[in-house]
Amino acid sequence: MSANVELIRAIYDAFAAGDVPGILGRMDPAIEWHEAENFPYADNSPYIGPEAVAQGVFLRCATEWDGFGVQVDEIVDGGDTVIALGRYVGTYKATGKTQHTQMAHVWRIAGGRAIGFQQYADTLAVARVTGAV
């Protein structure tokens, strides 16, 4: 397994453990984080820097969902680009509806840190769960 894949696996492991400093510490201070178009948290996308990601994305996942998680089914090693494929899970508190949303994450890595993130997700599935449609 390459060092870049190990880095991304460590980020997902830290996320699953609720270790926010463990996630943020693996990000470059100038990470550019893009949420999928029409995703609920794309309102301030791109987020620049770990603190912006923590406040604009992670805090919302933690407060608006019960059991929000990322189930990674496969990680594709593309060198400085690593792709994770899987699903989002969790129950949206405001509606009580659960999700099993397909997603893909494209990570860019340089100098042993994540410098870029692009989320792709089934935004219609999320909109149905959150009550947006």
Side-chain angles (χ1 to χ4, degrees), residues 35-108:
E35 291 286 294
E37 293 176 3
N38 300 307
F39 198 81
Y41 305 149
D43 52 351
N44 291 311
S45 190
Y47 297 92
I48 306 298
E51 188 58 33
V53 174
Q55 293 300 312
V57 180
F58 297 160
L59 181 64
R60 292 160 84 179
C61 290
T63 59
E64 296 175 7
W65 297 84
D66 282 325
F68 183 89
V70 181
Q71 294 179 341
V72 176
D73 298 325
E74 181 179 2
I75 294 182
V76 180
D77 187 351
D80 291 339
T81 300
V82 174
I83 300 168
L85 305 171
R87 300 217 170 242
Y88 294 130
V89 297
T91 302
Y92 195 66
K93 291 178 182 180
T95 63
K97 294 181 180 179
T98 60
Q99 71 170 338
H100 193 250
T101 303
Q102 186 179 39
M103 67 78 187
H105 294 162
V106 178
W107 294 90
R108 308 284 184 194

